[in-house]
Amino acid sequence: MPPQSRSTKVEEARSIALRAKHPDWKPERLTAYRKSLGWSRATLVRKIREIDPASVSFTPPMAAEVQTMRHERGWTFPGEDWQAAYSHVTGATRVELGFCSRLSRGEPTVTAGALPSGVPLADDGLGELWTQHGLSDAWEGVSALERRQFLALSGVALSNAAHEWLVADPARLAAALNGRRVDAGVVTDLNTATDTLRRLDDKLGGQAVFGMVAEQLKLVVNLLRNTSYSQADGQALHGIAAELARLAGWTSYDAGRNGTAQRFYLVGLRAAHEADSPGVAANILRCMAHQARSDGDPHTAIELLRSARAGSRGRLSFTEQAVLAAGLASAHGVAGDRSSALSASETAYAAIEQAKTDEDPPYVYWAGPYTIAQSVGASLMSTGDPAGAIPHFRSAIDLIGTDLPRDRLGFVLHLALAHTQAGDPDTAISLTHEAITTTAVPSSIMGGRIVDVCQAISATGHPGAVDLVEHARTTIGPAESV
């Protein structure tokens, strides 16, 4: 084991011990609050160093980025002066920064930070999720999730929340409830409706589809809580609920609501376990990994994908195996591990060659050789080889067709960025104009990618960048977005 990896393991073990000693401590809140203010760690440290000792009742610490990093990762518990300094510069209470669960008498409760007071983390209140009655209790809050916001988890906290899936014992389905009995015909109708929602998301985007997904999830939850059913039909209902929770999570993420997305994913993961559907659970973990990687946390993404593969117990189709391997290739690429990225890429290509459509579950209808080619290209881009990524992106575009417009848009934008980084901004500008003109799928994810490409092209000084930026504004909104 490399020294750095061994050191990280030791720190994570120390973090577990510290959290046991300080059970109310949630270090992820400090990270979330800092990011909500748009601050880097360097900015946070600078502001602490600028505190005038004569103006405060505590001793400002000699701040350094490494110490702040250790506080955010849960490796070191902040002392009183550190806590006071963090509160002073952010304008947030110690509760909002995750240091404690309640304020001391006389401590100010008004926050000047960017987040509303009391915004919970994505896993708040889910401590009993994996007990026998935990899922039933969690369903009670599902109907309100679309109206709430949550702070996103990161690092160890996110991995630990997801890894419950590997070690929990399946709970028995509740005894039949009073009311109408659900039969196989109802299950079939619900499966059909769920599949329709999946495909609408591809064409309309998460913001447009989320409301319909949430209403369908409420319906299934109502059936689970208020009707009777056989054990087989009960497992099927839990599987449908798990997939709808995943889709609600994905559409929330596509609309830029990261914490709420994680909340749906965590409840969906528990429901998938109740349904004995490791494939559905693995797919939820894949979505969680995608979000973590996109948020700059590839190591957590790798852990989530490995958990998905281990927990599936050999019950995944070749397409599902290929998708997980492709996700690992992308995550390893972002982590800068070219060797592991190439190895995972080879595994992904080998698996997709053995795939048979009739063996695939309906929730991977979107995956194919084009998915693998795109992920391999992305991993090469991340390791500094944009020229090597170009043929993979081109292959993905040629293979995908027109049935998945949002995915195809993403492929074209990746290709444009690769051409930009490879020193060919002319081709990049042409591809980006084409992408903006031909797409009509509202998506914060795709909007962000258009911004990234426009900024990369503008950085080359190419005269065509100005017109491209104006064109992009017609699709993604305000001028300051580009």
Side-chain angles (χ1 to χ4, degrees), residues 165 234-240 242-243 268-284 311-313 315-316 320 363:
W165 174 55
Q235 283 191 322
L237 282 176
H238 278 96
I240 294 168
E243 172 60 6
L269 194 63
R270 175 66 176 86
H273 187 81
E274 192 77 11
D276 190 27
S277 299
V280 173
N283 197 33
I284 292 172
S312 62
R313 305 188 296 279
R315 292 166 61 183
L316 301 182
E320 291 173 285
Y363 50 77

Side-chain angles (χ1 to χ4, degrees), residues 202-203 365-367 370 400-409:
D202 290 320
K203 295 178 171 58
Y365 71 94
W366 50 270
Y370 41 84
I400 194 171
T402 59
D403 290 340
L404 299 168
R406 181 174 52 194
D407 288 358
R408 189 179 191 281
L409 170 62

Side-chain angles (χ1 to χ4, degrees), residues 308-354:
R309 191 165 56 186
S312 62
R313 305 188 296 279
R315 292 166 61 183
L316 301 182
S317 69
F318 281 113
T319 297
E320 291 173 285
Q321 295 175 46
V323 167
L324 291 182
L328 279 169
S330 294
H332 281 303
V334 174
D337 187 348
R338 183 179 177 86
S339 177
S340 295
L342 291 175
S343 176
S345 296
E346 291 176 3
T347 300
Y349 272 128
I352 203 66
E353 287 178 0
Q354 301 179 70

Side-chain angles (χ1 to χ4, degrees), residues 1 30 77 124 140 143 198 220 263 284 328 345 409:
M1 182 183 295
L30 179 58
F77 184 71
D124 273 13
E140 292 184 6
S143 62
R198 290 190 198 103
V220 176
R263 183 81 169 190
I284 292 172
L328 279 169
S345 296
L409 170 62

Side-chain angles (χ1 to χ4, degrees), residues 225-251:
R225 293 177 61 82
N226 300 308
T227 69
S228 61
Y229 34 75
S230 67
Q231 181 170 347
D233 289 336
Q235 283 191 322
L237 282 176
H238 278 96
I240 294 168
E243 172 60 6
L244 286 168
R246 183 203 67 81
L247 189 52
W250 175 257
T251 52

Side-chain angles (χ1 to χ4, degrees), residues 163-224:
H163 287 178
E164 291 278 4
W165 174 55
L166 290 176
V167 299
D169 292 325
R172 293 281 185 183
L173 285 172
L177 301 173
N178 293 328
R180 186 169 60 86
R181 186 174 181 83
V182 172
D183 58 21
V186 173
V187 170
T188 298
D189 290 343
L190 291 172
N191 274 320
T192 300
T194 301
D195 191 55
T196 299
L197 289 171
R198 290 190 198 103
R199 296 172 189 273
L200 277 177
D201 171 54
D202 290 320
K203 295 178 171 58
L204 301 180
Q207 297 181 53
V209 176
F210 173 79
M212 290 182 280
V213 174
E215 287 301 317
Q216 187 72 2
L217 178 56
K218 290 180 202 175
L219 170 63
V220 176
V221 168
N222 184 54
L223 293 175
L224 281 167

Side-chain angles (χ1 to χ4, degrees), residues 8 11-13 15-16 19 28 73 75 153-163 297 300:
T8 300
E11 295 289 7
E12 290 179 356
S15 173
I16 293 173
R19 288 174 189 242
E28 298 80 21
R73 293 185 178 179
W75 294 354
L153 302 172
S154 62
V156 175
L158 180 58
S159 297
N160 287 346
H163 287 178
D297 189 3
T300 296

